Amino acid sequence: MVLRLLRRHGSLSRGELVALSGLSRTTLFDIVVALVDGGTVTASVPEVAGRGRGRPVEKLALNPAAGQVIGIDFARQAVRVAASTITHGVIGTSDEGHAPEASWQERVERAYRLVGRLTGGPPRLGALSPVGVGVSAPMAVPAAGLPGVDGHGTVTELVGQRFEAPVRWDSNARLAALAESRWGAARGERDVAYLHLSDGVGGGLVVDGTLHRGAYGVSGEFGHITVDPGGAACCCGGVGCLQTVASVGAVVEAYRAAGGAARDLPDLVAALDAGDRRARAVLAGVGTRIGRVLAAVSNTVDPRVIVIGGELAAVGRPLLAPIRRALDLGIMPGAREQVSLRPAEFGEVSAALGAVAWLRPGTTPLEPTHRREPTALIGRRNR
């Protein structure tokens, strides 16, 4: 609480901290002594111009050199990191790809190396600065279910050992939702739904300004809503989930099945740019299914803003326009004119930035180096 107040208000006296925190003077003073002794907080007496009566009041402030806030996103084929100082001065973001079969030890080592490049040396962390981690799995999966391919330890254990700090983890799509709601396309909004379209399909909900996890940690798993009961088997054990039609791989495969020639998403985008009607038809069909899912989500949780992120979202209007049409057809009339559909503003480091936002609530906006310039909004209000 004391650190949060100092982050929010800047330097404060002990008396001001007592008034703002509601703590007793004895408790507050004991906390301050521990923080000053540990180097997290500095105490100084401001210079007073001229001669005055009494002794100037000592002010307390966060020590910028005391530590860093680290966020890590372990994506399917990349490691992405973000770092800020404990006082929320931006250090930067970075990412690096790897083979799908890379072990967790290798991924954690990559994360440590990337953070070291940003911070100019080993990260300065401690009990007051846990590492935030995003993984491509819902929180309902027990930590023991997230080992490396060689079976040596869990993600949180490996990160904790390498960084010598506590670890907090969540779904990377959910953390991306937090980044977009705090600093990105939905900044300033308190009710936000986020859909991430990449190698997998995930999402997150921000409800009344708070990241919503649900009773069992599976909130935001929009990719596992059934859209085709007779469709393909999904990795979750279901059939015809949104992920089986709206992931990058599924969309590219659908284009090939329609007679197109594409090895990957860039090839599909090139076909779109060349005016290939098959590519546009495939994206229209995918967008329609996504829009129906988002209409159901909207009718259930009533977000003010829906943000679409991930590599597939970068396709732009050929995907977003059919999403908007299907959303309008399925959403309740009272909300149809109000719900805004927006492309994400952050690139691939959104989850790492979200981990930083998660660890340090109540911060002022960051200006990360990987921020995207927003494209045209797709919401009916914004046409």
Side-chain angles (χ1 to χ4, degrees):
M1 182 191 297
V2 171
L3 293 175
R4 185 169 63 248
L5 288 171
L6 291 174
R7 280 194 294 271
R8 183 174 299 166
H9 299 282
S11 60
L12 296 169
S13 68
R14 285 173 171 80
E16 290 170 330
L17 280 169
V18 168
L20 289 168
S21 68
L23 298 171
S24 70
R25 293 181 66 86
T26 300
T27 299
L28 187 283
F29 281 33
D30 287 344
I31 291 171
V32 167
V33 168
L35 293 175
V36 171
D37 288 348
T40 305
V41 169
T42 61
S44 61
V45 178
E47 295 184 6
V48 180
R51 184 185 298 273
R53 295 183 177 181
R55 180 180 177 183
V57 176
E58 187 177 62
K59 291 286 187 176
L60 303 166
L62 292 176
N63 179 6
Q68 293 133 4
V69 184
I70 304 298
I72 305 171
D73 172 22
F74 290 110
R76 295 173 188 267
Q77 298 186 48
V79 175
R80 295 150 187 156
V81 302
S84 77
T85 65
I86 196 171
T87 55
H88 304 293
V90 180
I91 296 175
T93 59
S94 186
D95 57 271
E96 186 176 294
H98 58 71
E101 64 272 13
S103 69
W104 278 111
Q105 283 84 358
E106 182 180 346
R107 299 180 194 197
V108 171
E109 193 59 39
R110 284 175 186 267
Y112 191 82
R113 186 173 68 250
L114 288 172
V115 170
R117 291 177 187 171
L118 291 176
T119 59
R124 299 186 300 276
L125 301 167
L128 296 175
S129 297
V131 177
V133 171
V135 295
S136 299
M139 285 192 73
V141 178
L146 290 170
V149 293
D150 49 9
H152 294 294
T154 66
V155 178
T156 52
E157 289 172 353
L158 292 170
V159 172
Q161 292 167 5
R162 189 67 181 94
F163 284 80
E164 298 181 349
V167 177
R168 294 177 63 190
W169 73 280
D170 204 331
S171 155
N172 51 13
R174 202 148 50 209
L175 293 176
L178 185 61
E180 290 291 343
S181 68
R182 184 72 58 80
W183 302 316
R187 57 190 175 277
E189 301 290 351
R190 298 188 62 80
D191 295 283
V192 179
Y194 172 82
L195 179 67
H196 191 79
L197 303 168
S198 184
D199 294 327
V201 176
L205 292 170
V206 175
V207 179
D208 196 24
T210 301
L211 190 65
H212 181 67
R213 295 181 180 84
Y216 304 105
V218 296
S219 173
E221 291 296 324
F222 309 137
H224 299 293
I225 295 175
T226 301
V227 296
D228 182 5
C234 182
C235 62
C236 71
V239 174
C241 296
L242 182 63
Q243 180 162 295
T244 67
V245 300
S247 65
V248 169
V251 172
V252 172
E253 181 58 36
Y255 174 60
R256 286 199 293 259
R263 295 167 300 175
D264 49 26
L265 185 59
D267 284 350
L268 178 60
V269 172
L272 276 173
D273 293 341
D276 190 326
R277 293 183 179 181
R278 291 169 299 187
R280 189 168 292 274
V282 166
L283 286 170
V286 171
T288 297
R289 285 176 161 174
I290 292 172
R292 290 171 182 166
V293 167
L294 291 177
V297 170
S298 184
N299 290 337
T300 304
V301 299
D302 194 23
R304 182 176 174 85
V305 176
I306 299 174
V307 179
I308 310 292
E311 294 95 321
L312 191 61
V315 169
R317 188 167 291 275
L319 178 69
L320 296 177
I323 290 177
R324 178 78 250 186
R325 287 193 294 269
L327 180 63
D328 283 348
L329 288 172
I331 202 170
M332 294 293 290
R336 188 175 298 154
E337 299 294 329
Q338 303 301 320
V339 176
S340 179
L341 181 68
R342 306 178 184 178
E345 288 190 15
F346 291 129
E348 295 177 343
V349 294
S350 57
L353 288 169
V356 171
W358 182 41
L359 293 177
R360 293 290 180 260
T363 66
T364 54
L366 295 174
E367 292 296 336
T369 58
H370 281 62
R371 183 178 180 131
R372 286 180 180 168
E373 289 301 316
T375 54
L377 302 183
I378 311 299
R380 183 178 289 274
R381 291 190 297 145
N382 305 300
R383 288 177 181 172

